[in-house]
Amino acid sequence: MSRFWSPVVQTLTPYVPGEQPQMQRLVKLNTNESPYGPSPRALAAINQQTNNDLRLYPDPESATLKQAIANLHGLDPKQVFIGNGSDEVLAHVFLGLLKQKDAVLFPDITYSFYPVYCKLFGIEYKTIPLGSEFEIQTTNYQAPNGGIIFPNPNAPTGRAIPRKDIEVLLAKNKDSVLVIDEAYVDYGTESCIPMLRGKDCPENLLVVHTLSKSRALAGLRVGFAVGHPALIEGLERVKNSFNSYPLGRLAQAGAVAAIEDQKHLEETSAKVMQTRARLVKELNALGFDTLPSTANFIFTRHPKHAGAKLYQALRDRGIIVRHFKSPRIEEFLRITIGTDEQSNELVTTIKEILASA
Ligand SMILES: *Cc1c(COP(=O)(O)O)cnc(C)c1O
């Protein structure tokens, strides 16, 4: 605490990311990174950009990257906004689109960065409880609001809702922006991006993606939003009032190559989904109760073993998962899907823990 902090800083409770431990020999299943590397084409592109051109500023518009994303998703480049990780994109979305007279709505159990941005920017929010099976119930979002945001699939639950539900919600929500955070969409969830194609693109739907999860580039920091050109123009105004160059030359080059390598994404996502199915079966055979997941993580609890204790016991044995000390979910563990080998090690270790308890 310092008396030189501005009043807003004194009120902040910053987001706490999952730890990035320096210990060796560790099974790291706590921050939903990909267990597989990025596209080799992305690495080659980054290497190629590592030259004297780094003395020059990067393209402030990330135009080549916008075009690559537009090509991949059948959109116009004017429908694409780029940021330094989707966390930065989300920050601009909160300030630029969701700071309104009415409160913004999001689930009570969701990505914990949303309330942090609200505090930072002085945005009123109201949380809407998930249903009894931890599902998002879109019919509960129909009150007047300054915007609606949720991830699909939701985090940390991993549960998705069908696109049809989002279409119905959008049809009823005409006067504020609906933001779908699709950070984990590539592991078996229907994307809302097709709704944005062509001249029927809705004025108030924004879809946010990241290259940190399925494209295995968390270390590069690239995210994007797609939507109506007028929404994107608003975000550009915020971005250009904050940082003209959010993406460096290496990040732009790597991201373009990664976006163009759809085959790598599909192959690695398919492997993650296979490992997920096997892990869920094995854990449930041990008595775990696992929410249906279409993410690269699962949310699971054991009726006879407390979440906090399991978390610590795994940690003591060199396996790091995520545990949230929040109401309704403190008995759960969020476990990132790793390789088959990591998955086997996890199951073996859990068997030991259960046997010794
Ligand atoms: C990981 C994650 C993000 C942020 O990813 P970046 O690394 O900042 O691109 C955004 N939303 C959700 C729900 C996430 O889990």
Side-chain angles (χ1 to χ4, degrees):
M1 191 70 108
S2 156
R3 66 193 172 95
F4 301 108
W5 288 2
S6 64
V8 63
V9 172
Q10 301 187 25
T11 70
L12 296 180
T13 313
Y15 175 75
V16 183
E19 60 177 326
Q20 296 292 347
Q22 305 300 322
M23 288 186 262
Q24 302 292 313
R25 269 201 68 256
L26 191 107
V27 181
K28 187 175 180 306
L29 304 175
N30 68 330
T31 50
N32 303 336
E33 289 136 331
S34 169
Y36 307 107
S39 159
R41 287 164 57 182
L43 297 180
I46 293 166
N47 273 324
Q48 226 192 355
Q49 275 296 311
T50 309
N51 59 41
N52 266 341
D53 284 350
L54 280 173
R55 75 196 168 80
L56 301 169
Y57 280 103
D59 172 13
E61 304 298 330
S62 298
T64 313
L65 180 54
K66 284 185 179 175
Q67 187 65 58
I69 291 165
N71 292 348
L72 175 66
H73 290 297
L75 301 170
D76 187 281
K78 287 197 170 57
Q79 293 181 275
V80 184
F81 178 77
I82 309 281
N84 186 266
S86 62
D87 284 340
E88 187 186 76
V89 173
L90 289 167
H92 294 341
V93 167
F94 272 91
L95 183 62
L97 302 175
L98 302 181
K99 184 171 176 162
Q100 305 290 351
K101 204 156 55 13
D102 288 322
V104 56
L105 309 181
F106 48 80
D108 59 342
I109 298 166
T110 193
Y111 189 36
S112 48
F113 225 135
Y114 301 159
V116 174
Y117 288 133
C118 288
K119 266 277 176 71
L120 177 62
F121 297 129
I123 300 170
E124 293 241 22
Y125 67 93
K126 184 170 176 249
T127 59
I128 309 291
L130 296 182
S132 59
E133 302 299 311
F134 296 91
E135 77 282 18
I136 289 175
Q137 296 176 323
T138 50
T139 46
N140 294 341
Y141 289 76
Q142 291 172 10
N145 62 75
I148 301 173
I149 181 168
F150 55 80
N152 195 38
N154 194 14
T157 63
R159 272 203 99 127
I161 58 171
R163 183 163 71 216
K164 189 88 202 59
D165 289 8
I166 294 169
E167 285 167 353
V168 171
L169 176 61
L170 185 70
K172 300 201 165 158
N173 193 79
K174 298 279 190 204
D175 298 320
S176 73
V177 177
L178 171 59
V179 183
I180 310 296
D181 181 348
E182 294 191 345
Y184 302 103
V185 77
D186 293 317
Y187 305 99
T189 302
E190 273 178 300
S191 173
C192 286
I193 291 183
M195 295 165 65
L196 302 171
R197 289 180 193 143
K199 55 181 182 354
D200 292 331
C201 173
E203 282 179 323
N204 61 333
L205 174 66
L206 193 79
V207 179
V208 179
H209 274 214
T210 176
L211 275 67
S212 298
K213 313 285 165 54
S214 54
R215 301 221 184 240
L217 285 168
L220 203 62
R221 311 305 305 130
V222 185
F224 62 90
V226 288
H228 193 281
L231 290 186
I232 301 305
E233 192 189 334
L235 294 174
E236 296 288 355
R237 290 174 71 117
V238 178
K239 172 232 163 201
N240 288 319
S241 305
F242 179 74
N243 179 2
S244 314
Y245 305 103
L247 260 71
R249 288 174 167 268
L250 305 185
Q252 291 188 36
V256 168
I259 290 290
E260 287 174 347
D261 195 349
Q262 194 63 9
K263 187 158 166 278
H264 182 80
L265 173 121
E266 283 164 11
E267 286 171 0
T268 50
S269 301
K271 282 204 270 186
V272 166
M273 288 188 277
Q274 280 163 18
T275 307
R276 181 181 69 204
R278 203 166 59 86
L279 178 63
V280 169
K281 232 166 99 184
E282 290 176 349
L283 290 180
N284 290 357
L286 296 175
F288 280 85
D289 177 10
T290 309
L291 297 186
S293 167
T294 51
N296 68 339
F297 59 85
I298 54 168
F299 207 48
T300 190
R301 67 182 153 189
H302 197 292
K304 299 206 182 87
H305 296 268
K309 281 199 175 149
L310 276 177
Y311 165 80
Q312 190 56 47
L314 282 167
R315 215 196 137 83
D316 293 343
R317 291 162 178 79
I319 298 181
I320 304 200
V321 300
R322 194 101 199 250
H323 175 251
F324 300 90
K325 292 189 195 81
S326 315
R328 273 185 86 186
I329 58 170
E330 58 209 338
E331 298 310 331
F332 282 87
L333 299 178
R334 193 197 69 189
I335 305 175
T336 303
I337 305 300
T339 60
D340 278 329
E341 203 180 14
Q342 290 174 318
S343 208
N344 292 342
E345 203 169 328
L346 172 73
V347 171
T348 307
T349 307
I350 287 179
K351 281 182 183 162
E352 281 168 25
I353 294 168
L354 298 191
S356 69

